[in-house]
Amino acid sequence: MDENEIEAIRAALKKANEEAKTYRLEAKALQEQLEAVQTETQTLKTNYLQTKAQDALKDAGLTNAKAGKFIDYSKVSVTESGELEGLQEQLDALKEDLPELFNAQQRVSGGADAADKREARPQKSSADILATNLLKG
């Protein structure tokens, strides 16, 4: 091998090393972007799942918002169509284990709710009371 061939090989090797370094940096940047997107996606998916689950709990008659802590969200998944899979089974189990959490207004004092209340009488002012007493006697 003569000196020109060695220099050509060295130049090609240097160029290949620079290209490899550029590709490694690009791959690292893309990997970081991918991880950021995956983290964002997981956060959005979790928020969507919890929001849909809270709506489903309200629809099922759950009156205590804190009762959502009884749901194991790791067993609930979102299907391709956006529906929650595995939530209904947990709701059924929760209704069976803690029925008092659902539709509590129907079980208070034998089914009393706002519709069962009597109309409140307006309070009389002291002048009305005095006038009534004067007219009576």
Side-chain angles (χ1 to χ4, degrees):
M1 261 196 225
D2 67 356
E3 194 64 35
N4 288 338
E5 290 176 341
I6 293 174
E7 282 301 316
I9 292 172
R10 283 185 183 158
L13 181 60
K14 183 177 180 182
K15 183 179 177 185
N17 284 337
E18 288 173 359
E19 285 179 2
K21 181 180 179 183
T22 302
Y23 292 141
R24 277 193 309 271
L25 292 175
E26 286 178 10
K28 183 179 179 182
L30 290 173
Q31 183 65 33
E32 289 172 355
Q33 286 179 345
L34 176 64
E35 289 171 1
V37 167
Q38 287 174 333
T39 301
E40 178 77 15
T41 301
Q42 186 60 39
T43 301
L44 291 173
K45 186 176 179 181
T46 301
N47 289 343
Y48 177 79
L49 183 132
Q50 289 178 342
T51 302
K52 290 283 282 184
Q54 290 299 325
D55 290 345
L57 292 172
K58 286 180 187 175
D59 292 344
L62 189 67
T63 56
N64 187 345
K66 292 182 181 180
K69 66 183 177 185
F70 294 115
I71 301 296
D72 183 4
Y73 291 106
S74 67
K75 294 180 181 178
V76 180
S77 61
V78 180
T79 63
E80 290 292 322
S81 63
E83 297 301 315
L84 300 182
E85 190 173 276
L87 180 66
Q88 190 60 47
E89 293 80 9
Q90 290 193 48
L91 278 176
D92 293 341
L94 190 59
K95 281 182 183 180
E96 188 175 314
D97 294 343
L98 300 167
E100 64 273 7
L101 294 177
F102 295 86
N103 294 325
Q105 69 186 14
Q106 295 176 357
R107 285 185 291 284
V108 175
S109 302
D113 65 4
D116 294 335
K117 293 182 181 177
R118 294 183 187 169
E119 187 176 322
R121 294 184 200 170
Q123 283 190 325
K124 292 183 178 182
S125 68
S126 58
D128 290 336
I129 295 171
L130 286 174
T132 303
N133 288 338
L134 285 173
L135 291 175
K136 283 183 183 178

